[in-house]
Amino acid sequence: MSWLGQVSRAYLPGAEAIRDVALVYVLMLCAGYFAIRARSRIAAWTLAVVALASTFHFVSHEPAGARMLAIVATLLLAMKVIAASHGTTRVTFRQWIAFTLWAGMRPAIFTLLGAPAREGAPTLAREGAARLAAGAVLLVLARLLTLCVPATAAKILATPLLLVGLSLMLHFGLLNLGAALWRAWGVPAERLFRDPLHARSLADFWSRRWNIAFSEMTAVVVQRPIKAVAGRRASIFASFLVSGLLHEMAISVPARGGYGLPTLYFALQGALVVRNTKSRTIMFAALIAPILLVFHLPFLRAVIWPLAGIH
């Protein structure tokens, strides 16, 4: 099978699935707005569960990459509905739609939509474009490797290029470009991935450097209520278990394998954070050494390797 054929086979959904998932998304947008206006957490959680279950059903027979994209899109919107229902900010429908088009979890910043442009937008745009280009180069290099070396060597050598390249393109490329766009429209959007290599500890990495949107969401939805009942350490560990569950839905479910491995990875991270591990050496070892628990073999085979034409 050709390279493009492999990519298509992994990522292109059928027209019926596109229609059904789009309908779920639109209905969730509208129903979610009424749930947050009513500040009904029960309605928000119910809506999230129904929408995710519907998406799982509609993409169950689709390619792994298509399943992942559909599930992640619904999951992100579900998280937004839940996070917004726990807050006190009231937004208009226009502001709500704008909020759902951004990866962050703070609806309050979109009450400033239409204000004068914020400083820093050009810098963010340049950084985003540079990292997007760098990530694309790594993906091209991964593809070239598959044409030059045996299949087994290609898997070993191309996998880090693919994972780092995709992270550069999404986390540091497209998200920075998105932040630049919103800042140009008056919304004080910030980087969601903030110099993770400069983290001083695992706690610093996970709470202030890597995926700030998730930290914002779990602080409100998970840590605050659990802390009141079971204490700070239990609330922190619970947030990592929730992260593991969300990664199971976004990674293991689409790949139909590797169940439990992402949860194990995040349980390890949570245990080390609770122990207040501050060594940078331990931090990098803990982040990198078990990384294949998250990006496990079924996920690599079904979703990542087709991007480089690896069988």
Side-chain angles (χ1 to χ4, degrees):
M1 183 184 298
S2 70
W3 170 46
L4 291 179
Q6 278 190 274
V7 175
S8 299
R9 185 178 177 183
Y11 281 90
L12 291 184
E16 185 176 350
I18 294 175
R19 181 201 64 198
D20 292 340
V21 173
L23 179 60
V24 169
Y25 200 88
V26 171
L27 291 175
M28 192 177 183
L29 274 175
C30 298
Y33 179 67
F34 288 108
I36 66 169
R37 291 287 292 183
R39 297 181 182 174
S40 173
R41 298 178 184 181
I42 294 176
W45 279 97
T46 302
L47 179 61
V49 171
V50 171
L52 283 167
S54 300
T55 299
F56 291 157
H57 171 72
F58 290 137
V59 300
S60 61
H61 299 294
E62 297 302 314
R67 288 197 300 270
M68 180 193 70
L69 294 175
I71 291 170
V72 167
T74 303
L75 187 60
L76 181 60
L77 182 54
M79 291 166 60
K80 286 179 172 292
V81 173
I82 292 169
S85 72
H86 280 68
T88 58
T89 301
R90 286 191 174 273
V91 293
T92 66
F93 188 69
R94 173 172 172 263
Q95 292 165 349
W96 163 246
I97 295 298
F99 170 55
T100 64
L101 297 176
W102 169 237
M105 290 289 163
R106 292 190 296 146
I109 65 175
F110 284 88
T111 61
L112 300 170
L113 181 64
R118 304 272 167 173
E119 294 182 358
T123 300
L124 276 172
R126 287 193 297 270
E127 290 179 2
R131 284 157 178 75
L132 185 65
V137 169
L138 291 182
L139 264 61
V140 171
L141 289 176
R143 171 56 185 164
L144 293 176
L145 271 175
T146 67
L147 303 175
C148 303
V149 300
T152 300
K155 292 176 182 178
I156 296 172
L157 297 174
T159 297
L161 294 178
L162 290 167
L163 294 176
V164 174
L166 289 171
S167 182
L168 282 173
M169 293 180 72
L170 175 59
H171 300 145
F172 302 95
L174 292 176
L175 290 183
N176 279 356
L177 289 172
L181 178 64
W182 288 120
R183 292 189 76 82
W185 288 344
V187 177
E190 301 284 353
R191 293 177 182 84
L192 297 179
F193 293 79
R194 302 173 184 172
D195 299 319
L197 295 179
H198 293 162
R200 298 182 298 275
S201 66
L202 272 175
D204 183 38
F205 179 89
W206 289 116
S207 65
R208 302 181 186 91
R209 303 285 185 172
W210 189 264
N211 200 348
I212 306 304
F214 185 81
S215 299
E216 294 170 348
M217 189 273 293
T218 55
V220 174
V221 177
V222 180
Q223 292 187 29
R224 188 178 297 170
I226 293 180
K227 182 179 179 180
V229 176
R232 176 176 172 274
R233 290 189 173 187
S235 71
I236 292 173
F237 189 72
S239 70
F240 280 94
L241 292 182
V242 169
S243 181
L245 176 61
L246 295 177
H247 281 79
E248 298 283 1
M249 288 190 280
I251 292 176
S252 300
V253 171
R256 291 179 174 162
Y259 298 107
L261 296 180
T263 300
L264 179 58
Y265 177 87
F266 284 99
L268 171 64
Q269 303 302 314
L272 291 172
V273 170
V274 167
R275 285 176 58 89
N276 199 24
T277 304
K278 294 184 177 180
S279 165
R280 279 174 55 86
T281 301
I282 293 177
M283 177 189 75
F284 285 116
L287 291 170
I288 298 171
I291 196 66
L292 291 182
L293 292 175
V294 179
F295 304 113
H296 44 62
L297 185 59
F299 179 71
L300 294 176
R301 185 183 294 119
V303 177
I304 299 299
W305 287 344
L307 292 173
I310 299 173
H311 298 284

